[in-house]
């Protein structure tokens, strides 16, 4: 990208999708899904109809690098790939690199998905929640130092075990299929140009047939 003969950026094959856009797209089982939203971009496709696994420009699903606040997310899926492990309500932006990957990403073969979570709102307590037929989600912003520091807490879980118990099959009645993920982010604004951010993420899947 150039302006007035000055090169501003030399990045190519980079796209960005915002958290606001993801929340406006059609929901999957009552909840927006980050990875399925990305599949609407050109050059990105799903591994199969029932999975949120991603193939980029012919690459395999295991050739993608997923980052959440600069930390590697080794398994970006829940529930055998039916749900993504990224909470849509805590997502600020997703930067997708589909070619000419920058050197800091370690020479990944296919693509890089760089997920940036939202900074906490340090002016007032606020939150949002959703309840669907299979999953529920809640996020909360708590000021620590008003207008300066805040904490974001988010939790998402499924109560899908009841579906297995309604099936007239003894094997499935004793089975389980559920997941849980938790997000924690602390944001401290030092001045107009400097901030401190600390994030924590926990993911758990329980699957037994």
């Amino acid at each position: 990208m150039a302006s007035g003969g000055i090169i501003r950026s030399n990045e190519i094959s980079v796209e960005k999708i915002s958290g606001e856009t993801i929340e406006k797209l059609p929901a999957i089982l009552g909840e927006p899904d980050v990875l399925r939203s990305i599949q609407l971009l050109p050059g990105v496709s799903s591994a199969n109809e029932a999975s949120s696994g991603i193939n980029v420009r012919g690459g395999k699903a295991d050739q993608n690098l997923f980052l959440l606040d600069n930390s590697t997310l080794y398994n970006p899926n829940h529930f055998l790939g039916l749900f993504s492990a990224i909470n849509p309500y805590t997502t600020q932006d997703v930067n997708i690199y589909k070619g000419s990957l920058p050197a800091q990403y370690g020479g990944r073969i296919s693509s890089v998905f760089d997920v940036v979570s939202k900074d906490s709102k340090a002016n007032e307590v606020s939150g949002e929640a959703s309840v669907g037929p299979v999953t529920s989600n809640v996020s909360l912003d708590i000021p620590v130092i008003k207008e300066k520091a805040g904490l974001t807490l988010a939790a998402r879980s499924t109560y899908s075990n009841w579906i297995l118990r309604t099936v007239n099959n003894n094997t499935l009645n004793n089975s389980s299929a559920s997941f849980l993920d938790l997000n924690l982010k602390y944001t401290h604004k030092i001045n107009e140009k400097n901030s401190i951010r600390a994030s924590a993420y926990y993911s758990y899947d329980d699957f037994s047939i």
Side-chain angles (χ1 to χ4, degrees):
M1 183 182 297
S3 176
I6 300 175
I7 297 176
R8 301 295 184 186
S9 173
N10 62 354
E11 293 180 339
I12 60 175
S13 297
V14 181
E15 295 193 53
K16 176 183 288 188
I17 183 170
S18 68
E20 293 181 357
T21 300
I22 292 171
E23 292 186 32
K24 293 177 182 177
L25 293 174
I28 305 298
L29 295 177
E31 181 179 273
D33 191 283
V34 174
L35 297 188
R36 292 190 184 276
S37 300
I38 294 172
Q39 292 170 16
L40 300 176
L41 298 174
V44 182
S45 61
S46 61
N48 56 65
E49 291 292 334
S51 172
S52 58
I54 289 179
N55 298 333
V56 178
R57 292 182 173 176
K60 296 182 179 180
D62 60 357
Q63 295 173 341
N64 305 312
L65 173 63
F66 290 88
L67 299 173
L68 178 59
D69 289 335
N70 295 319
S71 296
T72 302
L73 193 61
Y74 292 100
N75 182 14
N77 298 304
H78 284 310
F79 212 79
L80 297 178
L82 187 60
F83 297 94
S84 73
I86 304 168
N87 193 324
Y89 297 113
T90 63
T91 301
Q92 177 66 39
D93 294 301
V94 183
N95 300 300
I96 303 104
Y97 297 83
K98 297 185 291 183
S100 187
L101 307 181
Q104 66 264 29
Y105 296 123
R108 189 62 59 147
I109 296 175
S110 185
S111 66
V112 175
F113 296 88
D114 186 10
V115 182
V116 181
S117 61
K118 295 178 181 178
D119 287 341
S120 177
K121 299 175 183 177
N123 53 348
E124 62 181 1
V125 176
S126 62
E128 58 182 326
S130 68
V131 178
V134 179
T135 63
S136 59
N137 196 335
V138 60
S139 63
L140 185 65
D141 284 300
I142 305 172
V144 177
I145 303 175
K146 193 170 184 180
E147 305 294 341
K148 192 172 183 179
L151 193 65
T152 298
L153 301 170
R156 185 171 58 140
S157 182
T158 182
Y159 30 83
S160 53
N161 284 333
W162 69 269
I163 299 176
L164 297 175
R165 295 190 182 100
T166 61
V167 179
N168 188 20
N169 185 299
N170 291 332
T171 302
L172 292 179
N173 288 340
N174 297 323
S175 301
S176 62
S178 62
F179 68 82
L180 167 71
D181 56 59
L182 305 173
N183 294 76
L184 172 66
K185 186 172 184 179
Y186 176 76
T187 307
H188 190 107
K189 183 178 179 181
I190 300 174
N191 51 45
E192 292 297 327
K193 295 184 178 181
N194 297 283
S195 297
I196 296 174
R197 297 176 176 88
S199 300
Y201 173 77
Y202 174 79
S203 177
Y204 173 78
D205 283 82
D206 178 21
F207 182 77
S208 175
I209 296 294

